[in-house]
Amino acid sequence: MTTNLIRTALSRGVNLSVLSDPKFKHNRISINLIVPLDAQTVSCNAILPFLLRKGSQSCKDFTQLNRRLDAMYGASLAADVSKSGGNQIITLGIKMLDDRFTLGGEALVQQAATLLRELLMEPLIEDGVFDRKEFFLERQNLIDTIESLINDKRSYALSQCRMLMGRNDSAALQKYGTVEQAQKLTPKDAAEAYRRLLDTAAVEIMFVGSGDPSAASEVMKKAFAGMTRAPQPFTDAKICPAGEETLKKVEYLDVAQSKMVLGFRSDKRGNMAEQSAMRLMTALYGGTPSSKLFLNVREKLSLCYYCAARYDRSSAVMFVDCGVEKENIESAKKEILVQLDEIRNGNFDDETLENTRLQIKNSLRAVSDYPGTLEEWYISRILSDEVATPEEEMRAIDAVTREQVIEAAKKIRLDAIYLLTSKEESVDA
């Protein structure tokens, strides 16, 4: 069962969204501070959730903090940074048992909300700066995290292609920023970024679970009451058509298997019907084991180790990425484009289309299985001002016609090719 979103404004720029479902035994409360992605502030903002989770004025260290969590039947505290469209999201969240299942009737929702408020509003800042030891530890963790991104070559190649297509679009920025930016951060910078975040971030508080959110609502309402804030609006990713010439970049590293990413653009995001057609087309093209890319580029012609397509609705871009031997790069690129033309020309059978439709609907049904996926689903849709339930999107997928799939394939154009390969000899992208 999919629950409907109930969204309430607690104060200016602060909203509480509740998703209630009795099948859950736990509740999750999260505070999401949302600001525009900015090259100048992205790294400084990225370190903040990990400093805030260190404790508060009433929980001075991890020992005291863990005792509070243990007293809540082993509640778990999580901190994260993510991005959606042109927005950076700083998140603090607690998952805890629902009050109905406690032995002594403890009010865990109220306790968890109070702890989250303390961590956000009463951080361990002394004399205007975060604790130096904790700051430099988290700064090094941030640098290590950024440097480790290159270890996953497939994800790294996708991010590099997205940056290549950026055209000054902040949505192309990495959510953690860069090593160079992180190395320059100081405890004072972080404290100033924290205060700026409280002043300017749009705040989306999510409550997902089976419990009563009233106590959390009261705690959060009081937390932000009386604050003079200037929250910024959400930032959409820039939508622009593909350029006249395909952007190309080749990067050389010591890799055994080359990674190639083709980035495609549509000139508009479209309404739900158009987005659903694009989603179904992308899955038919390269999103399932029965897709064009899998069956032809990988299985029939053995040109790639993997070859898949994915669509980013916030930016209206589609990526095709593959792992390929160097000698097969040109053949693989040619065949990837041939298979897109096959869809544009309507060369696919109805049975494959219906099987693809069923696979997408199954993945949409799974969104409601976990509080975390439900939260992620609705946050992304709130940011794009297109709130729809998974069930509504299933109905939209059902309504997509064969002709709409063909039209969706005709709307996208190749915009960029990124190639990560070895240094043995030069290669044209």
mmCIF file with all atom_site columns, all heavy atoms in Angstrom, residues 116-140:
data_model
loop_
_atom_site.group_PDB
_atom_site.id
_atom_site.type_symbol
_atom_site.label_atom_id
_atom_site.label_alt_id
_atom_site.label_comp_id
_atom_site.label_asym_id
_atom_site.label_entity_id
_atom_site.label_seq_id
_atom_site.pdbx_PDB_ins_code
_atom_site.Cartn_x
_atom_site.Cartn_y
_atom_site.Cartn_z
_atom_site.occupancy
_atom_site.B_iso_or_equiv
_atom_site.pdbx_formal_charge
_atom_site.auth_seq_id
_atom_site.auth_comp_id
_atom_site.auth_asym_id
_atom_site.auth_atom_id
_atom_site.pdbx_PDB_model_num
ATOM 1   N N   . LEU A 1 116 ? 17.107 15.235 17.886 1.00 0.00 ? 116 LEU A N   1
ATOM 2   C CA  . LEU A 1 116 ? 17.425 15.849 16.587 1.00 0.00 ? 116 LEU A CA  1
ATOM 3   C C   . LEU A 1 116 ? 17.472 17.376 16.713 1.00 0.00 ? 116 LEU A C   1
ATOM 4   O O   . LEU A 1 116 ? 18.348 18.034 16.150 1.00 0.00 ? 116 LEU A O   1
ATOM 5   C CB  . LEU A 1 116 ? 16.376 15.456 15.545 1.00 0.00 ? 116 LEU A CB  1
ATOM 6   C CG  . LEU A 1 116 ? 16.566 14.120 14.826 1.00 0.00 ? 116 LEU A CG  1
ATOM 7   C CD1 . LEU A 1 116 ? 15.402 13.878 13.873 1.00 0.00 ? 116 LEU A CD1 1
ATOM 8   C CD2 . LEU A 1 116 ? 17.881 14.080 14.066 1.00 0.00 ? 116 LEU A CD2 1
ATOM 9   N N   . ARG A 1 117 ? 16.513 17.934 17.454 1.00 0.00 ? 117 ARG A N   1
ATOM 10  C CA  . ARG A 1 117 ? 16.510 19.391 17.651 1.00 0.00 ? 117 ARG A CA  1
ATOM 11  C C   . ARG A 1 117 ? 17.789 19.850 18.345 1.00 0.00 ? 117 ARG A C   1
ATOM 12  O O   . ARG A 1 117 ? 18.405 20.849 17.955 1.00 0.00 ? 117 ARG A O   1
ATOM 13  C CB  . ARG A 1 117 ? 15.297 19.800 18.499 1.00 0.00 ? 117 ARG A CB  1
ATOM 14  C CG  . ARG A 1 117 ? 15.239 21.296 18.792 1.00 0.00 ? 117 ARG A CG  1
ATOM 15  C CD  . ARG A 1 117 ? 14.201 21.635 19.853 1.00 0.00 ? 117 ARG A CD  1
ATOM 16  N NE  . ARG A 1 117 ? 14.465 20.994 21.146 1.00 0.00 ? 117 ARG A NE  1
ATOM 17  C CZ  . ARG A 1 117 ? 15.391 21.405 22.014 1.00 0.00 ? 117 ARG A CZ  1
ATOM 18  N NH1 . ARG A 1 117 ? 16.140 22.443 21.727 1.00 0.00 ? 117 ARG A NH1 1
ATOM 19  N NH2 . ARG A 1 117 ? 15.564 20.779 23.164 1.00 0.00 ? 117 ARG A NH2 1
ATOM 20  N N   . GLU A 1 118 ? 18.212 19.113 19.357 1.00 0.00 ? 118 GLU A N   1
ATOM 21  C CA  . GLU A 1 118 ? 19.435 19.486 20.080 1.00 0.00 ? 118 GLU A CA  1
ATOM 22  C C   . GLU A 1 118 ? 20.659 19.421 19.174 1.00 0.00 ? 118 GLU A C   1
ATOM 23  O O   . GLU A 1 118 ? 21.520 20.299 19.203 1.00 0.00 ? 118 GLU A O   1
ATOM 24  C CB  . GLU A 1 118 ? 19.625 18.562 21.290 1.00 0.00 ? 118 GLU A CB  1
ATOM 25  C CG  . GLU A 1 118 ? 18.575 18.744 22.377 1.00 0.00 ? 118 GLU A CG  1
ATOM 26  C CD  . GLU A 1 118 ? 18.687 17.688 23.469 1.00 0.00 ? 118 GLU A CD  1
ATOM 27  O OE1 . GLU A 1 118 ? 19.596 16.826 23.385 1.00 0.00 ? 118 GLU A OE1 1
ATOM 28  O OE2 . GLU A 1 118 ? 17.859 17.720 24.392 1.00 0.00 ? 118 GLU A OE2 1
ATOM 29  N N   . LEU A 1 119 ? 20.749 18.365 18.379 1.00 0.00 ? 119 LEU A N   1
ATOM 30  C CA  . LEU A 1 119 ? 21.911 18.221 17.498 1.00 0.00 ? 119 LEU A CA  1
ATOM 31  C C   . LEU A 1 119 ? 21.976 19.352 16.479 1.00 0.00 ? 119 LEU A C   1
ATOM 32  O O   . LEU A 1 119 ? 23.056 19.851 16.143 1.00 0.00 ? 119 LEU A O   1
ATOM 33  C CB  . LEU A 1 119 ? 21.854 16.869 16.770 1.00 0.00 ? 119 LEU A CB  1
ATOM 34  C CG  . LEU A 1 119 ? 22.021 15.625 17.646 1.00 0.00 ? 119 LEU A CG  1
ATOM 35  C CD1 . LEU A 1 119 ? 21.714 14.359 16.852 1.00 0.00 ? 119 LEU A CD1 1
ATOM 36  C CD2 . LEU A 1 119 ? 23.434 15.544 18.223 1.00 0.00 ? 119 LEU A CD2 1
ATOM 37  N N   . LEU A 1 120 ? 20.797 19.759 15.977 1.00 0.00 ? 120 LEU A N   1
ATOM 38  C CA  . LEU A 1 120 ? 20.771 20.823 14.967 1.00 0.00 ? 120 LEU A CA  1
ATOM 39  C C   . LEU A 1 120 ? 20.931 22.214 15.580 1.00 0.00 ? 120 LEU A C   1
ATOM 40  O O   . LEU A 1 120 ? 21.679 23.045 15.054 1.00 0.00 ? 120 LEU A O   1
ATOM 41  C CB  . LEU A 1 120 ? 19.451 20.756 14.189 1.00 0.00 ? 120 LEU A CB  1
ATOM 42  C CG  . LEU A 1 120 ? 19.278 21.834 13.106 1.00 0.00 ? 120 LEU A CG  1
ATOM 43  C CD1 . LEU A 1 120 ? 20.334 21.677 12.021 1.00 0.00 ? 120 LEU A CD1 1
ATOM 44  C CD2 . LEU A 1 120 ? 17.880 21.784 12.507 1.00 0.00 ? 120 LEU A CD2 1
ATOM 45  N N   . MET A 1 121 ? 20.261 22.457 16.690 1.00 0.00 ? 121 MET A N   1
ATOM 46  C CA  . MET A 1 121 ? 20.212 23.820 17.239 1.00 0.00 ? 121 MET A CA  1
ATOM 47  C C   . MET A 1 121 ? 21.271 24.113 18.289 1.00 0.00 ? 121 MET A C   1
ATOM 48  O O   . MET A 1 121 ? 21.569 25.267 18.563 1.00 0.00 ? 121 MET A O   1
ATOM 49  C CB  . MET A 1 121 ? 18.820 24.067 17.859 1.00 0.00 ? 121 MET A CB  1
ATOM 50  C CG  . MET A 1 121 ? 17.677 23.977 16.871 1.00 0.00 ? 121 MET A CG  1
ATOM 51  S SD  . MET A 1 121 ? 17.799 25.277 15.639 1.00 0.00 ? 121 MET A SD  1
ATOM 52  C CE  . MET A 1 121 ? 16.224 25.131 14.802 1.00 0.00 ? 121 MET A CE  1
ATOM 53  N N   . GLU A 1 122 ? 21.821 23.051 18.907 1.00 0.00 ? 122 GLU A N   1
ATOM 54  C CA  . GLU A 1 122 ? 22.796 23.255 19.985 1.00 0.00 ? 122 GLU A CA  1
ATOM 55  C C   . GLU A 1 122 ? 24.063 22.452 19.695 1.00 0.00 ? 122 GLU A C   1
ATOM 56  O O   . GLU A 1 122 ? 24.459 21.566 20.463 1.00 0.00 ? 122 GLU A O   1
ATOM 57  C CB  . GLU A 1 122 ? 22.188 22.824 21.321 1.00 0.00 ? 122 GLU A CB  1
ATOM 58  C CG  . GLU A 1 122 ? 20.892 23.549 21.664 1.00 0.00 ? 122 GLU A CG  1
ATOM 59  C CD  . GLU A 1 122 ? 20.130 22.871 22.799 1.00 0.00 ? 122 GLU A CD  1
ATOM 60  O OE1 . GLU A 1 122 ? 20.696 21.955 23.441 1.00 0.00 ? 122 GLU A OE1 1
ATOM 61  O OE2 . GLU A 1 122 ? 18.974 23.247 23.031 1.00 0.00 ? 122 GLU A OE2 1
ATOM 62  N N   . PRO A 1 123 ? 24.717 22.731 18.569 1.00 0.00 ? 123 PRO A N   1
ATOM 63  C CA  . PRO A 1 123 ? 25.907 21.932 18.214 1.00 0.00 ? 123 PRO A CA  1
ATOM 64  C C   . PRO A 1 123 ? 27.084 22.247 19.134 1.00 0.00 ? 123 PRO A C   1
ATOM 65  O O   . PRO A 1 123 ? 27.053 23.209 19.911 1.00 0.00 ? 123 PRO A O   1
ATOM 66  C CB  . PRO A 1 123 ? 26.183 22.383 16.778 1.00 0.00 ? 123 PRO A CB  1
ATOM 67  C CG  . PRO A 1 123 ? 25.678 23.775 16.719 1.00 0.00 ? 123 PRO A CG  1
ATOM 68  C CD  . PRO A 1 123 ? 24.447 23.799 17.592 1.00 0.00 ? 123 PRO A CD  1
ATOM 69  N N   . LEU A 1 124 ? 28.122 21.437 19.021 1.00 0.00 ? 124 LEU A N   1
ATOM 70  C CA  . LEU A 1 124 ? 29.323 21.610 19.849 1.00 0.00 ? 124 LEU A CA  1
ATOM 71  C C   . LEU A 1 124 ? 30.201 22.713 19.267 1.00 0.00 ? 124 LEU A C   1
ATOM 72  O O   . LEU A 1 124 ? 31.281 22.458 18.720 1.00 0.00 ? 124 LEU A O   1
ATOM 73  C CB  . LEU A 1 124 ? 30.075 20.280 19.936 1.00 0.00 ? 124 LEU A CB  1
ATOM 74  C CG  . LEU A 1 124 ? 29.331 19.182 20.708 1.00 0.00 ? 124 LEU A CG  1
ATOM 75  C CD1 . LEU A 1 124 ? 30.046 17.838 20.565 1.00 0.00 ? 124 LEU A CD1 1
ATOM 76  C CD2 . LEU A 1 124 ? 29.188 19.561 22.180 1.00 0.00 ? 124 LEU A CD2 1
ATOM 77  N N   . ILE A 1 125 ? 29.723 23.938 19.373 1.00 0.00 ? 125 ILE A N   1
ATOM 78  C CA  . ILE A 1 125 ? 30.477 25.113 18.936 1.00 0.00 ? 125 ILE A CA  1
ATOM 79  C C   . ILE A 1 125 ? 30.867 25.912 20.176 1.00 0.00 ? 125 ILE A C   1
ATOM 80  O O   . ILE A 1 125 ? 30.016 26.276 20.982 1.00 0.00 ? 125 ILE A O   1
ATOM 81  C CB  . ILE A 1 125 ? 29.649 25.991 17.973 1.00 0.00 ? 125 ILE A CB  1
ATOM 82  C CG1 . ILE A 1 125 ? 29.415 25.239 16.660 1.00 0.00 ? 125 ILE A CG1 1
ATOM 83  C CG2 . ILE A 1 125 ? 30.345 27.312 17.706 1.00 0.00 ? 125 ILE A CG2 1
ATOM 84  C CD1 . ILE A 1 125 ? 28.582 26.014 15.644 1.00 0.00 ? 125 ILE A CD1 1
ATOM 85  N N   . GLU A 1 126 ? 32.154 26.143 20.339 1.00 0.00 ? 126 GLU A N   1
ATOM 86  C CA  . GLU A 1 126 ? 32.666 26.921 21.472 1.00 0.00 ? 126 GLU A CA  1
ATOM 87  C C   . GLU A 1 126 ? 33.486 28.078 20.929 1.00 0.00 ? 126 GLU A C   1
ATOM 88  O O   . GLU A 1 126 ? 34.311 27.890 20.028 1.00 0.00 ? 126 GLU A O   1
ATOM 89  C CB  . GLU A 1 126 ? 33.550 26.038 22.386 1.00 0.00 ? 126 GLU A CB  1
ATOM 90  C CG  . GLU A 1 126 ? 32.848 24.808 22.961 1.00 0.00 ? 126 GLU A CG  1
ATOM 91  C CD  . GLU A 1 126 ? 31.776 25.159 23.984 1.00 0.00 ? 126 GLU A CD  1
ATOM 92  O OE1 . GLU A 1 126 ? 31.762 26.316 24.438 1.00 0.00 ? 126 GLU A OE1 1
ATOM 93  O OE2 . GLU A 1 126 ? 30.941 24.279 24.292 1.00 0.00 ? 126 GLU A OE2 1
ATOM 94  N N   . ASP A 1 127 ? 33.265 29.260 21.488 1.00 0.00 ? 127 ASP A N   1
ATOM 95  C CA  . ASP A 1 127 ? 33.996 30.458 21.051 1.00 0.00 ? 127 ASP A CA  1
ATOM 96  C C   . ASP A 1 127 ? 33.895 30.686 19.540 1.00 0.00 ? 127 ASP A C   1
ATOM 97  O O   . ASP A 1 127 ? 34.861 31.088 18.876 1.00 0.00 ? 127 ASP A O   1
ATOM 98  C CB  . ASP A 1 127 ? 35.478 30.378 21.465 1.00 0.00 ? 127 ASP A CB  1
ATOM 99  C CG  . ASP A 1 127 ? 35.645 30.274 22.973 1.00 0.00 ? 127 ASP A CG  1
ATOM 100 O OD1 . ASP A 1 127 ? 34.849 30.902 23.697 1.00 0.00 ? 127 ASP A OD1 1
ATOM 101 O OD2 . ASP A 1 127 ? 36.555 29.552 23.422 1.00 0.00 ? 127 ASP A OD2 1
ATOM 102 N N   . GLY A 1 128 ? 32.745 30.332 18.978 1.00 0.00 ? 128 GLY A N   1
ATOM 103 C CA  . GLY A 1 128 ? 32.484 30.622 17.567 1.00 0.00 ? 128 GLY A CA  1
ATOM 104 C C   . GLY A 1 128 ? 33.006 29.617 16.577 1.00 0.00 ? 128 GLY A C   1
ATOM 105 O O   . GLY A 1 128 ? 32.880 29.829 15.361 1.00 0.00 ? 128 GLY A O   1
ATOM 106 N N   . VAL A 1 129 ? 33.603 28.515 17.057 1.00 0.00 ? 129 VAL A N   1
ATOM 107 C CA  . VAL A 1 129 ? 34.128 27.518 16.111 1.00 0.00 ? 129 VAL A CA  1
ATOM 108 C C   . VAL A 1 129 ? 33.803 26.104 16.595 1.00 0.00 ? 129 VAL A C   1
ATOM 109 O O   . VAL A 1 129 ? 33.621 25.869 17.793 1.00 0.00 ? 129 VAL A O   1
ATOM 110 C CB  . VAL A 1 129 ? 35.658 27.645 15.926 1.00 0.00 ? 129 VAL A CB  1
ATOM 111 C CG1 . VAL A 1 129 ? 36.022 28.977 15.315 1.00 0.00 ? 129 VAL A CG1 1
ATOM 112 C CG2 . VAL A 1 129 ? 36.381 27.425 17.240 1.00 0.00 ? 129 VAL A CG2 1
ATOM 113 N N   . PHE A 1 130 ? 33.757 25.175 15.641 1.00 0.00 ? 130 PHE A N   1
ATOM 114 C CA  . PHE A 1 130 ? 33.625 23.765 16.002 1.00 0.00 ? 130 PHE A CA  1
ATOM 115 C C   . PHE A 1 130 ? 34.925 23.290 16.653 1.00 0.00 ? 130 PHE A C   1
ATOM 116 O O   . PHE A 1 130 ? 36.001 23.873 16.427 1.00 0.00 ? 130 PHE A O   1
ATOM 117 C CB  . PHE A 1 130 ? 33.353 22.921 14.741 1.00 0.00 ? 130 PHE A CB  1
ATOM 118 C CG  . PHE A 1 130 ? 31.938 22.969 14.259 1.00 0.00 ? 130 PHE A CG  1
ATOM 119 C CD1 . PHE A 1 130 ? 31.573 23.813 13.216 1.00 0.00 ? 130 PHE A CD1 1
ATOM 120 C CD2 . PHE A 1 130 ? 30.957 22.177 14.851 1.00 0.00 ? 130 PHE A CD2 1
ATOM 121 C CE1 . PHE A 1 130 ? 30.265 23.865 12.761 1.00 0.00 ? 130 PHE A CE1 1
ATOM 122 C CE2 . PHE A 1 130 ? 29.645 22.220 14.400 1.00 0.00 ? 130 PHE A CE2 1
ATOM 123 C CZ  . PHE A 1 130 ? 29.300 23.067 13.355 1.00 0.00 ? 130 PHE A CZ  1
ATOM 124 N N   . ASP A 1 131 ? 34.825 22.241 17.473 1.00 0.00 ? 131 ASP A N   1
ATOM 125 C CA  . ASP A 1 131 ? 36.005 21.657 18.105 1.00 0.00 ? 131 ASP A CA  1
ATOM 126 C C   . ASP A 1 131 ? 37.055 21.323 17.031 1.00 0.00 ? 131 ASP A C   1
ATOM 127 O O   . ASP A 1 131 ? 36.756 20.645 16.057 1.00 0.00 ? 131 ASP A O   1
ATOM 128 C CB  . ASP A 1 131 ? 35.597 20.379 18.848 1.00 0.00 ? 131 ASP A CB  1
ATOM 129 C CG  . ASP A 1 131 ? 36.770 19.698 19.515 1.00 0.00 ? 131 ASP A CG  1
ATOM 130 O OD1 . ASP A 1 131 ? 37.100 20.073 20.638 1.00 0.00 ? 131 ASP A OD1 1
ATOM 131 O OD2 . ASP A 1 131 ? 37.373 18.808 18.867 1.00 0.00 ? 131 ASP A OD2 1
ATOM 132 N N   . ARG A 1 132 ? 38.277 21.805 17.236 1.00 0.00 ? 132 ARG A N   1
ATOM 133 C CA  . ARG A 1 132 ? 39.306 21.677 16.211 1.00 0.00 ? 132 ARG A CA  1
ATOM 134 C C   . ARG A 1 132 ? 39.647 20.206 15.919 1.00 0.00 ? 132 ARG A C   1
ATOM 135 O O   . ARG A 1 132 ? 39.793 19.817 14.764 1.00 0.00 ? 132 ARG A O   1
ATOM 136 C CB  . ARG A 1 132 ? 40.577 22.421 16.641 1.00 0.00 ? 132 ARG A CB  1
ATOM 137 C CG  . ARG A 1 132 ? 40.400 23.931 16.701 1.00 0.00 ? 132 ARG A CG  1
ATOM 138 C CD  . ARG A 1 132 ? 41.688 24.612 17.138 1.00 0.00 ? 132 ARG A CD  1
ATOM 139 N NE  . ARG A 1 132 ? 42.790 24.364 16.217 1.00 0.00 ? 132 ARG A NE  1
ATOM 140 C CZ  . ARG A 1 132 ? 42.999 25.058 15.111 1.00 0.00 ? 132 ARG A CZ  1
ATOM 141 N NH1 . ARG A 1 132 ? 42.182 26.042 14.778 1.00 0.00 ? 132 ARG A NH1 1
ATOM 142 N NH2 . ARG A 1 132 ? 44.024 24.779 14.324 1.00 0.00 ? 132 ARG A NH2 1
ATOM 143 N N   . LYS A 1 133 ? 39.761 19.398 16.972 1.00 0.00 ? 133 LYS A N   1
ATOM 144 C CA  . LYS A 1 133 ? 40.121 17.992 16.764 1.00 0.00 ? 133 LYS A CA  1
ATOM 145 C C   . LYS A 1 133 ? 39.052 17.279 15.925 1.00 0.00 ? 133 LYS A C   1
ATOM 146 O O   . LYS A 1 133 ? 39.366 16.570 14.966 1.00 0.00 ? 133 LYS A O   1
ATOM 147 C CB  . LYS A 1 133 ? 40.280 17.302 18.118 1.00 0.00 ? 133 LYS A CB  1
ATOM 148 C CG  . LYS A 1 133 ? 40.645 15.827 18.000 1.00 0.00 ? 133 LYS A CG  1
ATOM 149 C CD  . LYS A 1 133 ? 40.758 15.198 19.398 1.00 0.00 ? 133 LYS A CD  1
ATOM 150 C CE  . LYS A 1 133 ? 41.021 13.696 19.280 1.00 0.00 ? 133 LYS A CE  1
ATOM 151 N NZ  . LYS A 1 133 ? 41.074 13.070 20.632 1.00 0.00 ? 133 LYS A NZ  1
ATOM 152 N N   . GLU A 1 134 ? 37.785 17.485 16.300 1.00 0.00 ? 134 GLU A N   1
ATOM 153 C CA  . GLU A 1 134 ? 36.692 16.840 15.558 1.00 0.00 ? 134 GLU A CA  1
ATOM 154 C C   . GLU A 1 134 ? 36.599 17.399 14.144 1.00 0.00 ? 134 GLU A C   1
ATOM 155 O O   . GLU A 1 134 ? 36.341 16.655 13.185 1.00 0.00 ? 134 GLU A O   1
ATOM 156 C CB  . GLU A 1 134 ? 35.361 17.043 16.289 1.00 0.00 ? 134 GLU A CB  1
ATOM 157 C CG  . GLU A 1 134 ? 35.297 16.425 17.667 1.00 0.00 ? 134 GLU A CG  1
ATOM 158 C CD  . GLU A 1 134 ? 35.338 14.902 17.616 1.00 0.00 ? 134 GLU A CD  1
ATOM 159 O OE1 . GLU A 1 134 ? 35.268 14.342 16.515 1.00 0.00 ? 134 GLU A OE1 1
ATOM 160 O OE2 . GLU A 1 134 ? 35.457 14.285 18.690 1.00 0.00 ? 134 GLU A OE2 1
ATOM 161 N N   . PHE A 1 135 ? 36.828 18.698 14.001 1.00 0.00 ? 135 PHE A N   1
ATOM 162 C CA  . PHE A 1 135 ? 36.742 19.291 12.677 1.00 0.00 ? 135 PHE A CA  1
ATOM 163 C C   . PHE A 1 135 ? 37.783 18.696 11.734 1.00 0.00 ? 135 PHE A C   1
ATOM 164 O O   . PHE A 1 135 ? 37.461 18.281 10.600 1.00 0.00 ? 135 PHE A O   1
ATOM 165 C CB  . PHE A 1 135 ? 36.922 20.813 12.736 1.00 0.00 ? 135 PHE A CB  1
ATOM 166 C CG  . PHE A 1 135 ? 37.082 21.422 11.370 1.00 0.00 ? 135 PHE A CG  1
ATOM 167 C CD1 . PHE A 1 135 ? 35.978 21.667 10.561 1.00 0.00 ? 135 PHE A CD1 1
ATOM 168 C CD2 . PHE A 1 135 ? 38.354 21.684 10.856 1.00 0.00 ? 135 PHE A CD2 1
ATOM 169 C CE1 . PHE A 1 135 ? 36.127 22.174 9.283  1.00 0.00 ? 135 PHE A CE1 1
ATOM 170 C CE2 . PHE A 1 135 ? 38.513 22.196 9.576  1.00 0.00 ? 135 PHE A CE2 1
ATOM 171 C CZ  . PHE A 1 135 ? 37.398 22.445 8.781  1.00 0.00 ? 135 PHE A CZ  1
ATOM 172 N N   . PHE A 1 136 ? 39.036 18.653 12.182 1.00 0.00 ? 136 PHE A N   1
ATOM 173 C CA  . PHE A 1 136 ? 40.085 18.167 11.271 1.00 0.00 ? 136 PHE A CA  1
ATOM 174 C C   . PHE A 1 136 ? 39.926 16.670 10.971 1.00 0.00 ? 136 PHE A C   1
ATOM 175 O O   . PHE A 1 136 ? 40.288 16.216 9.886  1.00 0.00 ? 136 PHE A O   1
ATOM 176 C CB  . PHE A 1 136 ? 41.465 18.481 11.849 1.00 0.00 ? 136 PHE A CB  1
ATOM 177 C CG  . PHE A 1 136 ? 41.818 19.943 11.754 1.00 0.00 ? 136 PHE A CG  1
ATOM 178 C CD1 . PHE A 1 136 ? 41.926 20.733 12.885 1.00 0.00 ? 136 PHE A CD1 1
ATOM 179 C CD2 . PHE A 1 136 ? 42.004 20.538 10.510 1.00 0.00 ? 136 PHE A CD2 1
ATOM 180 C CE1 . PHE A 1 136 ? 42.227 22.087 12.796 1.00 0.00 ? 136 PHE A CE1 1
ATOM 181 C CE2 . PHE A 1 136 ? 42.305 21.901 10.402 1.00 0.00 ? 136 PHE A CE2 1
ATOM 182 C CZ  . PHE A 1 136 ? 42.414 22.669 11.548 1.00 0.00 ? 136 PHE A CZ  1
ATOM 183 N N   . LEU A 1 137 ? 39.361 15.928 11.923 1.00 0.00 ? 137 LEU A N   1
ATOM 184 C CA  . LEU A 1 137 ? 39.068 14.516 11.656 1.00 0.00 ? 137 LEU A CA  1
ATOM 185 C C   . LEU A 1 137 ? 38.020 14.399 10.554 1.00 0.00 ? 137 LEU A C   1
ATOM 186 O O   . LEU A 1 137 ? 38.191 13.619 9.596  1.00 0.00 ? 137 LEU A O   1
ATOM 187 C CB  . LEU A 1 137 ? 38.568 13.841 12.934 1.00 0.00 ? 137 LEU A CB  1
ATOM 188 C CG  . LEU A 1 137 ? 38.126 12.378 12.800 1.00 0.00 ? 137 LEU A CG  1
ATOM 189 C CD1 . LEU A 1 137 ? 39.312 11.499 12.406 1.00 0.00 ? 137 LEU A CD1 1
ATOM 190 C CD2 . LEU A 1 137 ? 37.510 11.871 14.116 1.00 0.00 ? 137 LEU A CD2 1
ATOM 191 N N   . GLU A 1 138 ? 36.952 15.187 10.645 1.00 0.00 ? 138 GLU A N   1
ATOM 192 C CA  . GLU A 1 138 ? 35.891 15.113 9.632  1.00 0.00 ? 138 GLU A CA  1
ATOM 193 C C   . GLU A 1 138 ? 36.348 15.716 8.303  1.00 0.00 ? 138 GLU A C   1
ATOM 194 O O   . GLU A 1 138 ? 35.916 15.264 7.239  1.00 0.00 ? 138 GLU A O   1
ATOM 195 C CB  . GLU A 1 138 ? 34.634 15.814 10.136 1.00 0.00 ? 138 GLU A CB  1
ATOM 196 C CG  . GLU A 1 138 ? 33.902 15.063 11.236 1.00 0.00 ? 138 GLU A CG  1
ATOM 197 C CD  . GLU A 1 138 ? 33.545 13.646 10.827 1.00 0.00 ? 138 GLU A CD  1
ATOM 198 O OE1 . GLU A 1 138 ? 33.267 13.390 9.637  1.00 0.00 ? 138 GLU A OE1 1
ATOM 199 O OE2 . GLU A 1 138 ? 33.560 12.769 11.713 1.00 0.00 ? 138 GLU A OE2 1
ATOM 200 N N   . ARG A 1 139 ? 37.203 16.723 8.360  1.00 0.00 ? 139 ARG A N   1
ATOM 201 C CA  . ARG A 1 139 ? 37.725 17.264 7.098  1.00 0.00 ? 139 ARG A CA  1
ATOM 202 C C   . ARG A 1 139 ? 38.528 16.207 6.354  1.00 0.00 ? 139 ARG A C   1
ATOM 203 O O   . ARG A 1 139 ? 38.409 16.065 5.128  1.00 0.00 ? 139 ARG A O   1
ATOM 204 C CB  . ARG A 1 139 ? 38.589 18.502 7.358  1.00 0.00 ? 139 ARG A CB  1
ATOM 205 C CG  . ARG A 1 139 ? 38.967 19.233 6.071  1.00 0.00 ? 139 ARG A CG  1
ATOM 206 C CD  . ARG A 1 139 ? 39.826 20.448 6.335  1.00 0.00 ? 139 ARG A CD  1
ATOM 207 N NE  . ARG A 1 139 ? 41.197 20.064 6.686  1.00 0.00 ? 139 ARG A NE  1
ATOM 208 C CZ  . ARG A 1 139 ? 42.208 20.933 6.792  1.00 0.00 ? 139 ARG A CZ  1
ATOM 209 N NH1 . ARG A 1 139 ? 42.010 22.209 6.574  1.00 0.00 ? 139 ARG A NH1 1
ATOM 210 N NH2 . ARG A 1 139 ? 43.416 20.516 7.121  1.00 0.00 ? 139 ARG A NH2 1
ATOM 211 N N   . GLN A 1 140 ? 39.343 15.443 7.100  1.00 0.00 ? 140 GLN A N   1
ATOM 212 C CA  . GLN A 1 140 ? 40.110 14.381 6.441  1.00 0.00 ? 140 GLN A CA  1
ATOM 213 C C   . GLN A 1 140 ? 39.183 13.294 5.907  1.00 0.00 ? 140 GLN A C   1
ATOM 214 O O   . GLN A 1 140 ? 39.419 12.739 4.812  1.00 0.00 ? 140 GLN A O   1
ATOM 215 C CB  . GLN A 1 140 ? 41.126 13.781 7.415  1.00 0.00 ? 140 GLN A CB  1
ATOM 216 C CG  . GLN A 1 140 ? 42.115 12.812 6.751  1.00 0.00 ? 140 GLN A CG  1
ATOM 217 C CD  . GLN A 1 140 ? 42.880 13.458 5.610  1.00 0.00 ? 140 GLN A CD  1
ATOM 218 O OE1 . GLN A 1 140 ? 43.451 14.546 5.773  1.00 0.00 ? 140 GLN A OE1 1
ATOM 219 N NE2 . GLN A 1 140 ? 42.881 12.827 4.436  1.00 0.00 ? 140 GLN A NE2 1
#
